[in-house]
mmCIF file of all heavy atoms in Angstrom:
data_model
loop_
_atom_site.group_PDB
_atom_site.id
_atom_site.type_symbol
_atom_site.label_atom_id
_atom_site.label_comp_id
_atom_site.label_asym_id
_atom_site.label_seq_id
_atom_site.Cartn_x
_atom_site.Cartn_y
_atom_site.Cartn_z
ATOM 1 N N PRO B 114 12.441 1.533 1.562
ATOM 2 C CA PRO B 114 12.504 0.114 2.055
ATOM 3 C C PRO B 114 12.935 -0.777 0.905
ATOM 4 O O PRO B 114 12.928 -0.471 -0.278
ATOM 5 C CB PRO B 114 11.118 -0.257 2.501
ATOM 6 C CG PRO B 114 10.279 0.744 1.742
ATOM 7 C CD PRO B 114 11.085 1.982 1.597
ATOM 8 N N HIS B 115 13.362 -2.021 1.273
ATOM 9 C CA HIS B 115 13.743 -3.015 0.356
ATOM 10 C C HIS B 115 12.495 -3.490 -0.510
ATOM 11 O O HIS B 115 11.401 -3.270 -0.023
ATOM 12 C CB HIS B 115 14.433 -4.174 0.991
ATOM 13 C CG HIS B 115 15.761 -3.789 1.558
ATOM 14 N ND1 HIS B 115 16.763 -3.400 0.865
ATOM 15 C CD2 HIS B 115 16.180 -3.814 2.898
ATOM 16 C CE1 HIS B 115 17.821 -3.182 1.584
ATOM 17 N NE2 HIS B 115 17.440 -3.452 2.841
ATOM 18 N N MET B 116 12.699 -4.162 -1.592
ATOM 19 C CA MET B 116 11.660 -4.486 -2.530
ATOM 20 C C MET B 116 10.577 -5.373 -1.833
ATOM 21 O O MET B 116 9.388 -4.995 -2.028
ATOM 22 C CB MET B 116 12.264 -5.157 -3.710
ATOM 23 C CG MET B 116 11.113 -5.427 -4.814
ATOM 24 S SD MET B 116 11.939 -6.234 -6.254
ATOM 25 C CE MET B 116 13.017 -5.011 -6.825
ATOM 26 N N LEU B 117 10.952 -6.441 -1.137
ATOM 27 C CA LEU B 117 9.952 -7.352 -0.687
ATOM 28 C C LEU B 117 9.034 -6.632 0.407
ATOM 29 O O LEU B 117 7.824 -6.719 0.293
ATOM 30 C CB LEU B 117 10.641 -8.551 -0.071
ATOM 31 C CG LEU B 117 9.730 -9.685 0.458
ATOM 32 C CD1 LEU B 117 8.741 -10.095 -0.542
ATOM 33 C CD2 LEU B 117 10.462 -10.777 1.029
ATOM 34 N N PRO B 118 9.585 -5.981 1.390
ATOM 35 C CA PRO B 118 8.729 -5.342 2.423
ATOM 36 C C PRO B 118 7.784 -4.334 1.661
ATOM 37 O O PRO B 118 6.569 -4.239 2.064
ATOM 38 C CB PRO B 118 9.668 -4.738 3.324
ATOM 39 C CG PRO B 118 10.851 -5.468 3.185
ATOM 40 C CD PRO B 118 10.989 -5.902 1.807
ATOM 41 N N ALA B 119 8.377 -3.523 0.712
ATOM 42 C CA ALA B 119 7.645 -2.590 0.073
ATOM 43 C C ALA B 119 6.394 -3.272 -0.759
ATOM 44 O O ALA B 119 5.293 -2.832 -0.748
ATOM 45 C CB ALA B 119 8.431 -1.736 -0.984
ATOM 46 N N ALA B 120 6.700 -4.469 -1.406
ATOM 47 C CA ALA B 120 5.677 -5.042 -2.205
ATOM 48 C C ALA B 120 4.455 -5.599 -1.291
ATOM 49 O O ALA B 120 3.350 -5.658 -1.696
ATOM 50 C CB ALA B 120 6.328 -6.168 -3.030
ATOM 51 N N LEU B 121 5.011 -6.074 -0.117
ATOM 52 C CA LEU B 121 3.995 -6.576 0.852
ATOM 53 C C LEU B 121 3.237 -5.512 1.507
ATOM 54 O O LEU B 121 2.205 -5.852 2.276
ATOM 55 C CB LEU B 121 4.684 -7.481 1.808
ATOM 56 C CG LEU B 121 5.276 -8.858 1.259
ATOM 57 C CD1 LEU B 121 6.051 -9.579 2.365
ATOM 58 C CD2 LEU B 121 4.142 -9.680 0.532
ATOM 59 N N GLY B 122 3.689 -4.260 1.475
ATOM 60 C CA GLY B 122 2.939 -3.221 2.189
ATOM 61 C C GLY B 122 3.077 -3.230 3.614
ATOM 62 O O GLY B 122 2.039 -2.884 4.308
ATOM 63 N N TRP B 123 4.164 -3.698 4.159
ATOM 64 C CA TRP B 123 4.319 -3.742 5.684
ATOM 65 C C TRP B 123 4.160 -2.343 6.307
ATOM 66 O O TRP B 123 4.462 -1.382 5.684
ATOM 67 C CB TRP B 123 5.672 -4.263 6.032
ATOM 68 C CG TRP B 123 5.801 -5.769 5.715
ATOM 69 C CD1 TRP B 123 4.847 -6.521 5.218
ATOM 70 C CD2 TRP B 123 7.004 -6.532 5.842
ATOM 71 N NE1 TRP B 123 5.316 -7.862 5.078
ATOM 72 C CE2 TRP B 123 6.699 -7.840 5.389
ATOM 73 C CE3 TRP B 123 8.295 -6.286 6.269
ATOM 74 C CZ2 TRP B 123 7.573 -8.861 5.445
ATOM 75 C CZ3 TRP B 123 9.255 -7.339 6.286
ATOM 76 C CH2 TRP B 123 8.811 -8.586 5.882
ATOM 77 N N PRO B 124 3.639 -2.295 7.525
ATOM 78 C CA PRO B 124 3.405 -0.945 8.188
ATOM 79 C C PRO B 124 4.659 -0.071 8.220
ATOM 80 O O PRO B 124 4.612 1.156 8.119
ATOM 81 C CB PRO B 124 2.822 -1.360 9.574
ATOM 82 C CG PRO B 124 2.228 -2.768 9.292
ATOM 83 C CD PRO B 124 3.000 -3.400 8.265
ATOM 84 N N THR B 125 5.886 -0.802 8.550
ATOM 85 C CA THR B 125 6.968 -0.002 8.624
ATOM 86 C C THR B 125 7.413 0.761 7.254
ATOM 87 O O THR B 125 7.881 1.830 7.253
ATOM 88 C CB THR B 125 8.158 -0.876 9.139
ATOM 89 O OG1 THR B 125 8.207 -2.027 8.192
ATOM 90 C CG2 THR B 125 7.894 -1.397 10.541
ATOM 91 N N THR B 126 7.127 0.018 6.231
ATOM 92 C CA THR B 126 7.407 0.563 4.912
ATOM 93 C C THR B 126 6.465 1.767 4.599
ATOM 94 O O THR B 126 6.863 2.779 4.023
ATOM 95 C CB THR B 126 7.408 -0.455 3.680
ATOM 96 O OG1 THR B 126 5.999 -0.909 3.623
ATOM 97 C CG2 THR B 126 8.238 -1.647 4.062
ATOM 98 N N ARG B 127 5.209 1.669 4.939
ATOM 99 C CA ARG B 127 4.297 2.726 4.685
ATOM 100 C C ARG B 127 4.674 3.917 5.553
ATOM 101 O O ARG B 127 4.524 5.122 5.043
ATOM 102 C CB ARG B 127 2.913 2.291 5.107
ATOM 103 C CG ARG B 127 2.260 1.210 4.131
ATOM 104 C CD ARG B 127 0.819 1.063 4.188
ATOM 105 N NE ARG B 127 0.339 0.650 5.557
ATOM 106 C CZ ARG B 127 0.177 -0.635 5.924
ATOM 107 N NH1 ARG B 127 0.480 -1.667 5.069
ATOM 108 N NH2 ARG B 127 -0.248 -0.931 7.130
ATOM 109 N N ALA B 128 5.094 3.701 6.774
ATOM 110 C CA ALA B 128 5.501 4.785 7.638
ATOM 111 C C ALA B 128 6.768 5.475 7.039
ATOM 112 O O ALA B 128 6.889 6.653 7.160
ATOM 113 C CB ALA B 128 5.861 4.251 9.080
ATOM 114 N N ALA B 129 7.709 4.614 6.539
ATOM 115 C CA ALA B 129 8.901 5.162 6.028
ATOM 116 C C ALA B 129 8.617 6.017 4.754
ATOM 117 O O ALA B 129 9.212 7.153 4.513
ATOM 118 C CB ALA B 129 9.882 4.024 5.650
ATOM 119 N N ARG B 130 7.650 5.575 3.951
ATOM 120 C CA ARG B 130 7.232 6.396 2.718
ATOM 121 C C ARG B 130 6.636 7.690 3.203
ATOM 122 O O ARG B 130 6.879 8.762 2.564
ATOM 123 C CB ARG B 130 6.267 5.586 1.915
ATOM 124 C CG ARG B 130 5.928 6.205 0.564
ATOM 125 C CD ARG B 130 5.003 5.346 -0.270
ATOM 126 N NE ARG B 130 5.480 4.001 -0.473
ATOM 127 C CZ ARG B 130 5.028 2.883 0.106
ATOM 128 N NH1 ARG B 130 3.888 2.901 0.884
ATOM 129 N NH2 ARG B 130 5.553 1.703 -0.215
ATOM 130 N N ARG B 131 5.836 7.696 4.249
ATOM 131 C CA ARG B 131 5.233 8.925 4.784
ATOM 132 C C ARG B 131 6.245 9.891 5.195
ATOM 133 O O ARG B 131 6.095 11.109 4.971
ATOM 134 C CB ARG B 131 4.164 8.581 5.831
ATOM 135 C CG ARG B 131 2.865 8.059 5.325
ATOM 136 C CD ARG B 131 1.783 8.141 6.373
ATOM 137 N NE ARG B 131 2.250 7.332 7.587
ATOM 138 C CZ ARG B 131 1.918 6.128 7.822
ATOM 139 N NH1 ARG B 131 1.290 5.404 6.866
ATOM 140 N NH2 ARG B 131 2.326 5.513 8.908
ATOM 141 N N ASP B 132 7.275 9.437 5.929
ATOM 142 C CA ASP B 132 8.326 10.230 6.461
ATOM 143 C C ASP B 132 9.033 10.906 5.274
ATOM 144 O O ASP B 132 9.318 12.072 5.435
ATOM 145 C CB ASP B 132 9.267 9.467 7.301
ATOM 146 C CG ASP B 132 8.686 8.999 8.569
ATOM 147 O OD1 ASP B 132 7.676 9.671 8.972
ATOM 148 O OD2 ASP B 132 9.304 8.091 9.214
ATOM 149 N N VAL B 133 9.394 10.214 4.229
ATOM 150 C CA VAL B 133 10.067 10.713 3.108
ATOM 151 C C VAL B 133 9.251 11.860 2.466
ATOM 152 O O VAL B 133 9.760 12.910 2.113
ATOM 153 C CB VAL B 133 10.455 9.617 2.058
ATOM 154 C CG1 VAL B 133 11.000 10.259 0.841
ATOM 155 C CG2 VAL B 133 11.515 8.686 2.760
ATOM 156 N N GLU B 134 7.941 11.538 2.286
ATOM 157 C CA GLU B 134 7.071 12.512 1.591
ATOM 158 C C GLU B 134 6.986 13.796 2.383
ATOM 159 O O GLU B 134 6.983 14.908 1.877
ATOM 160 C CB GLU B 134 5.699 11.935 1.385
ATOM 161 C CG GLU B 134 5.690 10.793 0.246
ATOM 162 C CD GLU B 134 4.338 10.231 0.027
ATOM 163 O OE1 GLU B 134 3.359 10.534 0.768
ATOM 164 O OE2 GLU B 134 4.174 9.412 -0.907
ATOM 165 N N ASN B 135 6.897 13.565 3.757
ATOM 166 C CA ASN B 135 6.725 14.772 4.568
ATOM 167 C C ASN B 135 8.021 15.651 4.519
ATOM 168 O O ASN B 135 7.962 16.790 4.487
ATOM 169 C CB ASN B 135 6.573 14.357 6.053
ATOM 170 C CG ASN B 135 5.152 13.798 6.351
ATOM 171 O OD1 ASN B 135 4.280 14.162 5.615
ATOM 172 N ND2 ASN B 135 5.026 12.989 7.348
ATOM 173 N N ASP B 136 9.188 14.933 4.528
ATOM 174 C CA ASP B 136 10.462 15.646 4.408
ATOM 175 C C ASP B 136 10.588 16.388 3.043
ATOM 176 O O ASP B 136 11.124 17.432 2.940
ATOM 177 C CB ASP B 136 11.651 14.738 4.483
ATOM 178 C CG ASP B 136 11.850 14.270 5.947
ATOM 179 O OD1 ASP B 136 11.257 14.815 6.917
ATOM 180 O OD2 ASP B 136 12.672 13.355 6.182
ATOM 181 N N ALA B 137 10.089 15.643 2.038
ATOM 182 C CA ALA B 137 10.044 16.280 0.622
ATOM 183 C C ALA B 137 9.196 17.559 0.654
ATOM 184 O O ALA B 137 9.680 18.630 0.124
ATOM 185 C CB ALA B 137 9.583 15.376 -0.341
ATOM 186 N N TRP B 138 8.064 17.515 1.195
ATOM 187 C CA TRP B 138 7.177 18.691 1.305
ATOM 188 C C TRP B 138 7.871 19.876 2.137
ATOM 189 O O TRP B 138 7.815 21.074 1.717
ATOM 190 C CB TRP B 138 5.888 18.435 1.932
ATOM 191 C CG TRP B 138 4.913 17.710 1.010
ATOM 192 C CD1 TRP B 138 4.373 16.363 1.039
ATOM 193 C CD2 TRP B 138 4.341 18.241 -0.259
ATOM 194 N NE1 TRP B 138 3.562 16.190 0.046
ATOM 195 C CE2 TRP B 138 3.525 17.314 -0.845
ATOM 196 C CE3 TRP B 138 4.427 19.497 -0.876
ATOM 197 C CZ2 TRP B 138 2.776 17.501 -1.997
ATOM 198 C CZ3 TRP B 138 3.640 19.771 -1.925
ATOM 199 C CH2 TRP B 138 2.835 18.710 -2.554
ATOM 200 N N GLN B 139 8.657 19.585 3.138
ATOM 201 C CA GLN B 139 9.266 20.592 4.020
ATOM 202 C C GLN B 139 10.334 21.202 3.164
ATOM 203 O O GLN B 139 10.561 22.389 3.220
ATOM 204 C CB GLN B 139 9.724 19.963 5.247
ATOM 205 C CG GLN B 139 8.724 19.564 6.184
ATOM 206 C CD GLN B 139 9.220 18.887 7.483
ATOM 207 O OE1 GLN B 139 10.453 18.944 7.857
ATOM 208 N NE2 GLN B 139 8.343 18.159 8.172
ATOM 209 N N LEU B 140 11.080 20.374 2.424
ATOM 210 C CA LEU B 140 12.210 20.912 1.569
ATOM 211 C C LEU B 140 11.632 21.844 0.442
ATOM 212 O O LEU B 140 12.145 22.922 0.144
ATOM 213 C CB LEU B 140 13.003 19.765 0.898
ATOM 214 C CG LEU B 140 14.136 19.214 1.745
ATOM 215 C CD1 LEU B 140 14.606 17.970 1.120
ATOM 216 C CD2 LEU B 140 15.235 20.227 1.902
ATOM 217 N N LEU B 141 10.464 21.340 -0.211
ATOM 218 C CA LEU B 141 9.934 22.257 -1.258
ATOM 219 C C LEU B 141 9.477 23.542 -0.698
ATOM 220 O O LEU B 141 9.549 24.572 -1.348
ATOM 221 C CB LEU B 141 8.792 21.461 -1.833
ATOM 222 C CG LEU B 141 9.144 20.135 -2.586
ATOM 223 C CD1 LEU B 141 7.886 19.655 -3.327
ATOM 224 C CD2 LEU B 141 10.212 20.358 -3.636
ATOM 225 N N GLU B 142 8.871 23.562 0.432
ATOM 226 C CA GLU B 142 8.464 24.843 1.144
ATOM 227 C C GLU B 142 9.705 25.613 1.449
ATOM 228 O O GLU B 142 9.677 26.886 1.203
ATOM 229 C CB GLU B 142 7.718 24.518 2.384
ATOM 230 C CG GLU B 142 7.173 25.771 3.039
ATOM 231 C CD GLU B 142 6.339 25.461 4.367
ATOM 232 O OE1 GLU B 142 6.299 24.287 4.831
ATOM 233 O OE2 GLU B 142 5.670 26.383 4.814
ATOM 234 N N ARG B 143 10.712 25.047 1.933
ATOM 235 C CA ARG B 143 12.006 25.841 2.302
ATOM 236 C C ARG B 143 12.625 26.398 1.072
ATOM 237 O O ARG B 143 13.203 27.564 1.183
ATOM 238 C CB ARG B 143 12.955 24.886 3.059
ATOM 239 C CG ARG B 143 14.350 25.564 3.305
ATOM 240 C CD ARG B 143 14.141 26.677 4.413
ATOM 241 N NE ARG B 143 15.379 27.306 4.660
ATOM 242 C CZ ARG B 143 15.883 28.276 3.917
ATOM 243 N NH1 ARG B 143 15.268 28.767 2.780
ATOM 244 N NH2 ARG B 143 16.985 28.966 4.211
ATOM 245 N N LEU B 144 12.541 25.750 -0.159
ATOM 246 C CA LEU B 144 13.176 26.171 -1.252
ATOM 247 C C LEU B 144 12.165 26.909 -2.243
ATOM 248 O O LEU B 144 12.454 27.095 -3.369
ATOM 249 C CB LEU B 144 13.793 25.089 -2.067
ATOM 250 C CG LEU B 144 14.987 24.364 -1.336
ATOM 251 C CD1 LEU B 144 15.381 23.086 -1.991
ATOM 252 C CD2 LEU B 144 16.213 25.344 -1.339
ATOM 253 N N ASP B 145 11.007 27.286 -1.679
ATOM 254 C CA ASP B 145 9.978 28.097 -2.426
ATOM 255 C C ASP B 145 9.530 27.380 -3.749
ATOM 256 O O ASP B 145 9.474 27.962 -4.710
ATOM 257 C CB ASP B 145 10.580 29.427 -2.757
ATOM 258 C CG ASP B 145 9.537 30.460 -3.259
ATOM 259 O OD1 ASP B 145 8.368 30.237 -2.746
ATOM 260 O OD2 ASP B 145 9.766 31.431 -3.852
ATOM 261 N N LEU B 146 9.248 26.105 -3.600
ATOM 262 C CA LEU B 146 8.873 25.266 -4.724
ATOM 263 C C LEU B 146 7.517 24.650 -4.584
ATOM 264 O O LEU B 146 7.203 23.806 -5.392
ATOM 265 C CB LEU B 146 9.959 24.093 -4.880
ATOM 266 C CG LEU B 146 11.227 24.466 -5.297
ATOM 267 C CD1 LEU B 146 12.272 23.276 -5.229
ATOM 268 C CD2 LEU B 146 11.311 25.067 -6.813
#
């Protein structure tokens, strides 16, 4: 997310951060990391 929504901690930005982290974990599992 953009800086201002992230700084304010809007629900949409928290959800976007969780989605990215979930995708990162899935990639690490797929690549044996």
Side-chain angles (χ1 to χ4, degrees):
H115 295 295
M116 185 178 297
L117 180 59
L121 294 175
W123 289 357
T125 53
T126 66
R127 293 197 297 270
R130 189 180 300 113
R131 284 195 300 270
D132 287 344
V133 169
E134 290 180 357
N135 288 337
D136 286 350
W138 282 113
Q139 290 177 19
L140 275 169
L141 296 186
E142 183 176 13
R143 177 64 183 83
L144 292 168
D145 197 22
L146 293 168

